[in-house]
Amino acid sequence: MASSLDGLKLEQRHGKARVRVARVWRSKEAGRHYIVEWSVSISLLSDCLPAYVAGDNSDIVATDTMKNTVYAKAKECTEQLSVEDFAILLAKHFTSFYKQVTSAIVNIVEKPWERVHIDGQPHEHGFKLGSEKHTVEAIVKKSGGLELTSGIEGLSVLKTTKSGFEGFIRDKYTALPETRERILATEVTASWRYSYDYVSSIPKKPLYFMEQYMDVKKVLANTFFGPPTSGVYSPSVQSTLYDMARAVLSRFPDISAIRLKMPNLHFLPVNLSSKDNVIVKFDDDVYLPTDEPHGSIEATLCRFWAKM
């Protein structure tokens, strides 16, 4: 938040980062337990100039109070809820409970605890840790204005064929051969902005955003891989990224923009040869996996009226 001070401008915010909390819900009807693990970061924009210029802390919300609020609000959530709804709930609390707080920014990273299956049956209280993480940023203003962004980190995907790279610029520094047959591997980081402008406009359906997250993840993966038997050809990471982003906007009308970051994690063909003969000849079968250095490809796709 910016404040004018003797011809200078002070921009300030304060908060608490990486508050770790786990919440368990025990359903008596279904006989199942549910667990989430969240890392919560809070940042408040508030009118607390005296704390900076006069040593007066009377308008400061202590960061320890923010930490305790996370646990208290988690306790109050007696019914299972999505990480998006919890982020909005926290941000609403800070902007409504404290008169000097004008906006609250809540970022949460959810660990992917997944229910285990034993002999094909879902376990009532057993979980294993998955790979990709669910991320959320909720910005709530005192007026009820909302900016809600969800995302995914660490979605590792790979296909062993149906990928190539041809027709790129060649100059005296170019050594990369053109190919229509290669491994395509990446670790997708995605974030998408919902079109809801006010807290009051978000869907009231329980676990709505949790379902949206799972469906977006499915659309991203299905577009990357293509049909299970035939697949889909990728002429470049850029082309596949665009197809994935466009598929999400086409499938979800309440998502206004999506940003994708997809590093090209290289699998290099292995050929072994001596001065006199070839020891091992590559035949689309043996590769050297490497993630450094890697290609860096990212882009944002928005509806014409939206911004990320």
Side-chain angles (χ1 to χ4, degrees), residues 102-115:
T102 58
S103 295
I105 304 169
V106 176
N107 287 273
I108 304 181
V109 178
E110 180 176 273
K111 270 194 173 181
W113 288 106
E114 303 170 349
R115 189 176 303 278

Side-chain angles (χ1 to χ4, degrees), residues 32-70:
R32 286 188 181 181
H33 293 187
Y34 301 87
I35 186 171
V36 292
E37 181 182 344
W38 295 326
S39 177
V40 182
S41 295
I42 302 159
S43 188
L44 302 184
L45 281 65
S46 61
D47 295 321
C48 56
L49 184 62
Y52 291 87
V53 301
D56 179 357
N57 297 329
S58 58
D59 286 330
I60 289 287
V61 181
T63 65
D64 188 68
T65 302
M66 298 181 202
K67 176 200 70 177
N68 294 340
T69 301
V70 172

Side-chain angles (χ1 to χ4, degrees), residues 14-32:
H14 77 292
K16 198 73 166 181
R18 300 180 69 178
V19 180
R20 296 183 62 184
V21 58
R23 181 60 159 103
V24 175
W25 292 278
R26 296 172 172 87
S27 172
K28 294 180 180 179
E29 293 79 11
R32 286 188 181 181

Side-chain angles (χ1 to χ4, degrees), residues 105-227:
I105 304 169
V106 176
N107 287 273
I108 304 181
V109 178
E110 180 176 273
K111 270 194 173 181
W113 288 106
E114 303 170 349
R115 189 176 303 278
V116 299
H117 287 70
I118 305 296
D119 296 330
Q121 297 296 318
H123 201 284
E124 288 188 355
H125 54 266
F127 299 84
K128 64 182 179 67
L129 191 61
S131 54
E132 63 273 0
K133 296 177 180 179
H134 184 174
T135 62
V136 170
E137 179 180 78
I139 303 175
V140 176
K141 299 179 180 178
K142 192 175 285 292
S143 63
L146 172 68
E147 295 180 17
L148 180 62
T149 304
S150 296
I152 188 169
E153 292 180 355
L155 177 60
S156 297
V157 288
L158 176 153
K159 57 184 184 181
T160 55
T161 188
K162 296 283 184 176
S163 174
F165 191 50
E166 303 172 285
F168 50 88
I169 294 174
R170 305 199 69 89
D171 57 39
K172 63 181 180 179
Y173 301 116
T174 304
L176 183 69
E178 297 190 0
T179 182
R180 289 190 61 83
E181 181 60 49
R182 65 172 184 172
I183 287 178
L184 178 59
T186 187
E187 186 176 282
V188 179
T189 300
S191 57
W192 51 92
R193 172 73 64 84
Y194 286 100
S195 56
Y196 308 110
D197 293 327
Y198 290 91
V199 172
S200 59
S201 65
I202 63 174
K204 300 301 187 287
K205 180 182 177 182
L207 304 180
Y208 173 79
F209 290 111
M210 186 181 296
E211 293 178 7
Q212 287 283 93
Y213 169 77
M214 297 302 295
D215 288 343
V216 170
K217 182 169 70 168
K218 185 182 297 183
V219 167
L220 290 171
N222 289 353
T223 307
F224 177 87
F225 293 115

